[in-house]
Amino acid sequence: AQSVSQHNHHVILSEAASLELGCNYSYGGTVNLFWYVQYPGQHLQLLLKYFSGDPLVKGIKGFEAEFIKSKFSFNLRKPSVQWSDTAEYFCAVYPGGGADGLTFGKGTHLIIQP
Amino acid sequence: GAGVSQTPSNKVTEKGKYVELRCDPISGHTALYWYRQSLGQGPEFLIYFQGTGAADDSGLPNDRFFAVRPEGSVSTLKIQRTERGDSAVYLCASSLGPSSEAFFGQGTRLTVV
């Protein structure tokens, strides 16, 4: 079965700092990759997704992620974070063609200090 | 509303009781998913419906858990003989189809005392 690892469980940054959250997955076949965000008191929202094509995908609010197939990675980046980026971030994998739901990582709690 | 709606938002029940959690998906979404999220963990897949049928229920932890979607829209997750370990946030999501963007509800926080 596939699994997703998020290496940083808690990250604290100052505003304007650059962000990179790691995500590695284990699955040998074709995958669809997602980053979801959960702001305090809100539901999970899609940040960005990768299905195929350009491995560098851009999402909402200035976030981007790069799919590196050889490293089984899909790291999330943002060049300059804002206080409003404080949230829980989840990486998720969907095995292409499968009927399963998403497999999520444990999440990274990001705190941005003003 | 336009989003996925889950009721109740909070449910406290005694150990051994039966509970039902409801999910109203986005209109027109044929795919519906249930997940469970325990403290400090990511959402864990429970069951996936395509239309009225359960296409994949491999994530249900045991036979105390059951879910239905009789008319292909609203879904109910049913838990029999609840245990304290069932305490978690139960999330519902819907999408246009498998691998499409899934839209999540706010979840039902279940506490078994």
Side-chain angles (χ1 to χ4, degrees), chain A residues 35-50:
Chain A
W35 275 97
Y36 278 84
V37 61
Q38 187 168 26
Y39 297 105
Q42 297 189 26
H43 57 275
L44 280 164
Q45 303 173 42
L46 182 67
L47 208 49
L48 48 77
K49 62 187 177 186
Y50 172 80

Side-chain angles (χ1 to χ4, degrees), chain A residues 36 46 51 94 99-100 102 105-106, chain B residues 35 42 48 56 98-99 101-102:
Chain A
Y36 278 84
L46 182 67
F51 282 9
Y94 183 84
D100 299 326
L102 294 165
K106 291 187 176 183
Chain B
Y35 293 85
Y48 156 57
D56 184 351
S99 81
E101 177 183 351

Side-chain angles (χ1 to χ4, degrees), chain A residues 99, chain B residues 32 47-58 60 66-69:
Chain B
L32 185 145
I47 187 169
Y48 156 57
F49 286 91
Q50 181 59 41
T52 60
D56 184 351
D57 64 358
S58 61
L60 294 177
F66 189 70
V68 295
R69 195 186 185 197

